Amino acid sequence: MSDINRYHRQMLFQGIGQEGQAHLLSKHVLIVGCGALGSSSAEMLTRAGVGNITIIDRDYVEWTNLQRQHLFTEDDVHQQTPKAIAAASKLKKINSEIDICPVVIDATAENLAFYVQEADIVIDATDNFDTRFLINDLAHKYRKPWVFGACVGSSGMTFTIIPGQTPCLDCLLKVTPMFGATCDAVGVIGPAVQMVVTHQTTEALKLLLEAKHKINSKLIIFDLWNNHYQTIDVSRAKRTNCTSCGQAPTYPHLSYHSRTKTEVLCGRDTVQIRGKQYPLEMLESKLAHYGEVQANPFLVSVDIDEKRLVFFQDGRTFVHGTNSIEDAKKLYYQIVG
Ligand SMILES: [Zn+2]
């Protein structure tokens, strides 16, 4: 049952009010990625009463996530719960009055196009530039604002991208050196994540409420450990010949990305194989020959020697413990035949 007191403090806030609150309930946000950035953004927007939240993530919860990724628990680690599912189950307990849709997939040009079209805005909570460029092209193709966010170590950066107005991610990268463009091995602290999320979700609320004059037009960069905060005017970075946001866009990342079949996951010592979809029960019995199988409704996994194989419902397989595509494929085909 709806309790109006839930949003009382937010409705007192001048920027939102009663009308704005009703507006938020009619809006749809797509969050791509449900790690540190995504789980926190999702919680913030769930509590704020955004009516429809779709969360896409390809991964499951592991021990190394708990240090900074909100919503997840040790139980989720033990059960190898997909992050989107684990997050959604907590979010539904926080706010049962909104729709939360978890999607366990690896974002590709094909599958992400549908979700971007459905949403009012997109929040970038990914950990890689391949997916960010995909979001960038789709957001411009379907004219959806999106909020870029990244963090590494104690640093972070965010930027609000509005098709037809601001420079896009591709334009931005031509003028600003971006960290996170390569595999990071320097770790990350929770506060840096929260700082990025704070900026991203505030911008998301402004976009949803069409508070156009309040949108931050600058690139925000900070380093919490070294007490460095900076906002940079990047408006002149927009290029008329940009292939994503220019006058004759070709959206190059949409065709490039769909070709990627097998890849090494950045900084994860893991290879992801996109293969045929097999019924999980079938895989479970095949894997039983190799060792103790762990299964839930979304994936099955087994440890073989120093490697762990995780088969997802959508036909993807993670081979943890290697950066060799050749080794990963050999093991994969040994099992699926
Ligand atoms: Zn551009």
Side-chain angles (χ1 to χ4, degrees):
M1 206 176 134
S2 176
D3 187 340
I4 197 72
N5 283 328
R6 176 193 290 272
Y7 304 117
H8 180 250
R9 300 299 192 277
Q10 201 165 269
M11 290 192 294
L12 283 179
F13 175 67
Q14 212 184 13
I16 297 180
Q18 211 161 338
E19 204 180 317
Q21 190 60 51
H23 209 58
L24 286 181
L25 281 164
S26 71
K27 293 293 178 178
H28 188 166
V29 175
L30 170 64
I31 301 174
V32 185
C34 192
L37 292 172
S39 56
S40 285
S41 275
E43 179 174 347
M44 202 97 82
L45 296 176
T46 292
R47 291 188 187 278
V50 172
N52 214 311
I53 299 174
T54 299
I55 305 165
I56 292 179
D57 193 273
R58 66 180 174 188
D59 218 336
Y60 63 94
V61 183
E62 294 178 278
W63 284 110
T64 54
N65 304 147
L66 297 185
Q67 159 257 349
R68 68 196 178 285
Q69 303 191 6
H70 287 205
L71 301 175
F72 306 141
T73 63
E74 293 184 358
D75 268 351
D76 296 321
V77 177
H78 291 304
Q79 288 161 24
Q80 297 187 332
T81 314
K83 290 181 178 180
I85 303 292
S89 77
K90 316 296 187 316
L91 295 171
K92 283 172 185 169
K93 287 181 188 163
I94 291 170
N95 191 344
S96 59
E97 295 169 7
I98 61 165
D99 288 322
I100 295 154
C101 174
V103 187
V104 185
I105 53 167
D106 185 32
T108 65
E110 292 78 23
N111 60 30
L112 195 57
F114 167 79
Y115 294 103
V116 170
Q117 286 177 83
E118 293 278 291
D120 292 301
I121 63 162
V122 183
I123 292 188
D124 161 33
T126 65
D127 58 359
N128 66 85
F129 271 81
D130 279 350
T131 313
R132 287 188 182 112
F133 281 126
L134 204 53
I135 296 171
N136 191 50
D137 271 357
L138 288 169
H140 284 86
K141 188 173 176 185
Y142 300 113
R143 315 291 291 174
K144 308 283 183 177
W146 71 284
V147 190
F148 160 70
C151 54
V152 59
S154 58
S155 302
M157 52 169 62
T158 64
F159 184 62
T160 304
I161 298 174
I162 304 176
Q165 285 182 40
T166 67
C168 76
L169 184 64
D170 206 52
C171 291
L172 215 56
L173 268 170
K174 296 277 194 299
V175 296
T176 320
M178 293 262 177
F179 57 73
T182 53
C183 293
D184 67 283
V186 296
V188 61
I189 56 169
V193 174
Q194 295 312 314
M195 185 84 162
V196 171
V197 169
T198 294
H199 284 290
Q200 283 188 297
T201 49
T202 308
E203 289 297 290
L205 292 174
K206 293 177 193 172
L207 287 166
L208 294 173
L209 295 169
E210 288 158 46
K212 292 184 180 121
H213 56 295
K214 295 288 184 186
I215 303 284
N216 194 335
S217 62
K218 293 182 177 163
L219 173 69
I220 297 168
I221 302 180
F222 64 85
D223 180 342
L224 295 174
W225 205 260
N226 296 302
N227 312 310
H228 170 80
Y229 306 88
Q230 202 179 0
T231 55
I232 303 171
D233 182 356
V234 289
S235 54
R236 281 164 60 190
K238 190 168 175 61
R239 293 170 300 128
T240 50
N241 63 348
C242 173
T243 52
S244 296
C245 76
Q247 282 162 352
T250 53
Y251 309 120
H253 301 281
L254 300 188
S255 47
Y256 159 76
H257 207 83
S258 57
R259 288 202 299 269
T260 315
K261 281 271 179 258
T262 298
E263 62 186 322
V264 179
L265 299 187
C266 216
R268 292 275 311 272
D269 200 25
T270 297
V271 172
Q272 173 175 264
I273 298 168
R274 291 194 187 92
K276 240 174 93 177
Q277 259 176 294
Y278 296 101
L280 292 183
E281 304 78 45
M282 189 204 91
L283 287 167
E284 201 176 337
S285 62
K286 269 184 190 269
L287 294 178
H289 299 293
Y290 296 90
E292 196 187 328
V293 179
Q294 254 199 292
N296 65 37
F298 312 98
L299 57 86
V300 290
S301 75
V302 69
D303 291 348
I304 301 176
D305 300 326
E306 298 297 295
K307 296 185 182 69
R308 167 175 292 175
L309 283 93
V310 184
F311 294 82
F312 292 86
Q313 231 172 6
D314 65 350
R316 288 177 303 115
T317 302
F318 282 172
V319 184
H320 295 298
T322 181
N323 281 319
S324 157
I325 288 180
E326 202 184 322
D327 284 358
K329 277 188 164 175
K330 209 169 131 190
L331 192 56
Y332 172 81
Y333 285 112
Q334 184 188 323
I335 290 170
V336 300

